[in-house]
Amino acid sequence: MNEMKVNTVVLGAGPGGYVAAIRLAQLGVDTLLVEKEYYGGVCLNVGCIPSKALIHVSKSYESIDKMSVFGVTAENRQIDWAKTQEWKNGVVKQLTGGIKILVTKNGAKVLEGAGTLLGTNTLNVLAADGTETKVHFENLILATGSSPIHIPTFPVGGRIIDSTGALDLTEVPKHMVLIGGGYIGLELGFVYRKLGTEVVVVEMMDTVLPGFDKDVVKAMTRKLKKDKFKVMTGAKAKSYRETENGLAITVEHKGKDVEIETEYLCVTVGRRPNSRNLGLENASVSVNDHGFVDVDKQMRTNVPNIYAIGDLAGQPMLAHHASYQGEVAAEVIAGHHAEDSAKTCPAVVFTDPEVATVGMSEDEARAAGHELTIGQFPFAALGKAKASADTEGFVKIIADKKSEEILGVVIVGHNAGDLIGEATLGIEMGAFLDDLSLTIHPHPTLTESLMEAAKKAKGQAIHVLN
């Protein structure tokens, strides 16, 4: 068995772990990054990046038909799916390869293998070839991420797939059933629907995107119907049987059992933290009933020299949140004053239209005791949106009625994920409605929608009636 000593070990090279390792090295801390499978984690390999690549392809494919409104037509529209997958995999390879280079060039060391805690200062790393290395450390950052939740009734394999499998299909199926109408399921659903797949969404709750703003749910429900998804809410997938061409899924819906024949069944019912099989018990690291590791604002666990970040440390389970926490942990270990002091964290759903939110929802703000003023501005009233023939959606600003402080922003529409950045900065800086309404925004752009929504909340909108 090999042995080595290091100041800080980062276990997991996802968007939290590799960022932490880079920042630690920049701060002069002797750092070792341990990764068993994916540089870049789930996000870059089988999540954020490959899914957005396929989303871009599917939107581009669909846009060929939509461009007829501009007078642009094309004949014999086709897609070479093998080439699409090759391109997507190339994007992933470039980004993940770049991460390892960034880590090592910044001065951190890398060790490939699965890490298991032996105590509060020792980690055993088992490489794929069976080689074991005992690593002695002063500090440890746990950044092991999360995995798709699997339903025992529908074991993943063959034509039953999870989100990872859905990104690597070798064909565009004629039919697909999605168990789960949350953001992961709908993102994948829109990819394949745009490419011609008949998509059925089975959601146990009463709406798709449960937990989102009611106006978001309303807009998404309308779009799913327009795009001819079959959506079954308040429904439960019970069992399956194999058929000659795929599967037959039994779904309980409205008090009756319905059988749906499909080529693929994709299970997208959420994710769970990777807190098992890490040897956390050997170091007495506390794990709550949901499998998350509890941390304080400096990302410390109950064991002072062990930190946890990203999906392992709880909600929101988002890549950019993990990166932020990774930098916080690195700064703390390097002896700097740092803590997770962010007021809010934006979230984006890359459906069509996109959905982006930040801050409090309308319901959360009311529950917190705020009397509200709300400004909602439709993209249909915006020059840039009309000029692009992309007018679905709206910007909704939620503010305290008395102080006019902005509490939350909801955006549904084209490039919502890019637009939410301005709203996030505004909330982080304690912006008021006038900070947006009186700021000159460039014309014609989609960013004008934020200015107009702020004006609408004050009863001063120019391009829609107040």
Side-chain angles (χ1 to χ4, degrees), residues 175-459:
H175 197 284
M176 177 184 287
V177 172
L178 291 166
I179 299 180
Y183 73 95
I184 297 174
L186 292 190
E187 284 184 354
L188 292 169
F190 272 103
V191 167
Y192 287 105
R193 184 71 196 103
K194 289 179 184 299
L195 300 176
T197 304
E198 295 292 325
V199 178
V200 179
V201 179
V202 178
E203 169 56 50
M204 185 176 291
M205 304 298 286
D206 292 334
T207 68
V208 294
L209 294 180
F212 278 76
D213 183 278
K214 63 180 185 298
D215 289 327
V216 169
V217 173
K218 183 178 179 181
M220 189 54 61
T221 301
R222 185 167 57 246
K223 184 61 188 300
L224 290 168
K225 184 176 181 180
K226 179 182 177 182
D227 283 5
K228 298 182 180 179
F229 282 74
K230 182 175 181 181
V231 179
M232 304 170 73
T233 54
K236 181 181 179 181
K238 296 173 64 177
S239 62
Y240 76 96
R241 62 182 177 84
E242 295 183 0
T243 65
E244 184 177 345
N245 298 314
L247 304 168
I249 316 299
T250 299
V251 177
E252 183 182 325
H253 187 230
K254 296 181 178 179
K256 296 181 180 180
D257 284 351
V258 180
E259 190 171 78
I260 306 168
E261 293 195 11
T262 187
E263 288 183 53
Y264 289 93
L265 171 66
C266 184
V267 181
T268 58
V269 292
R271 303 184 64 82
R272 70 179 182 189
N274 293 328
S275 54
R276 300 178 182 179
N277 304 317
L278 298 179
L280 299 183
E281 65 281 359
N282 297 330
S284 300
V285 175
S286 294
V287 179
N288 68 27
D289 292 341
H290 300 288
F292 295 109
V293 175
D294 293 321
V295 296
D296 63 16
K297 288 187 176 182
Q298 293 189 311
M299 314 317 302
R300 282 193 177 93
T301 67
N302 62 301
V303 181
N305 69 315
I306 298 179
Y307 301 71
I309 62 174
D311 290 3
L312 187 66
Q315 300 291 346
M317 297 168 75
L318 299 169
H320 44 281
H321 192 242
S323 297
Y324 170 80
Q325 291 183 327
E327 292 199 59
V328 169
E331 296 280 342
V332 171
I333 288 171
H336 296 189
H337 177 72
E339 62 178 33
D340 183 352
S341 58
K343 284 186 179 180
T344 187
C345 179
V348 183
V349 183
F350 292 89
T351 45
D352 185 21
E354 289 182 8
V355 175
T357 65
V358 69
M360 293 184 181
S361 68
E362 186 177 340
D363 289 343
E364 287 171 340
R366 292 190 195 282
H370 293 279
E371 188 178 355
L372 303 180
T373 181
I374 294 173
Q376 189 159 318
F377 184 84
F379 282 112
L382 200 65
K384 177 62 184 295
K386 280 189 172 295
S388 305
D390 220 329
T391 58
E392 283 185 301
F394 58 87
V395 172
K396 176 178 177 180
I397 294 181
I398 301 154
D400 182 87
K401 188 172 184 177
K402 184 177 180 180
S403 70
E404 296 193 348
E405 182 180 0
I406 297 171
L407 304 173
V409 178
V410 176
I411 305 177
V412 176
H414 183 59
N415 281 1
D418 297 312
L419 293 172
I420 204 67
E422 179 180 345
T424 305
L425 179 62
I427 292 175
E428 199 65 40
M429 296 183 72
F432 296 85
L433 290 174
D434 278 344
D435 292 313
L436 281 183
S437 70
L438 297 179
T439 295
I440 300 173
H441 286 66
H443 174 77
T445 66
L446 298 179
T447 63
E448 292 175 280
S449 59
L450 287 157
M451 175 184 69
E452 289 278 6
K455 288 181 182 291
K456 181 72 186 315
K458 292 173 65 69

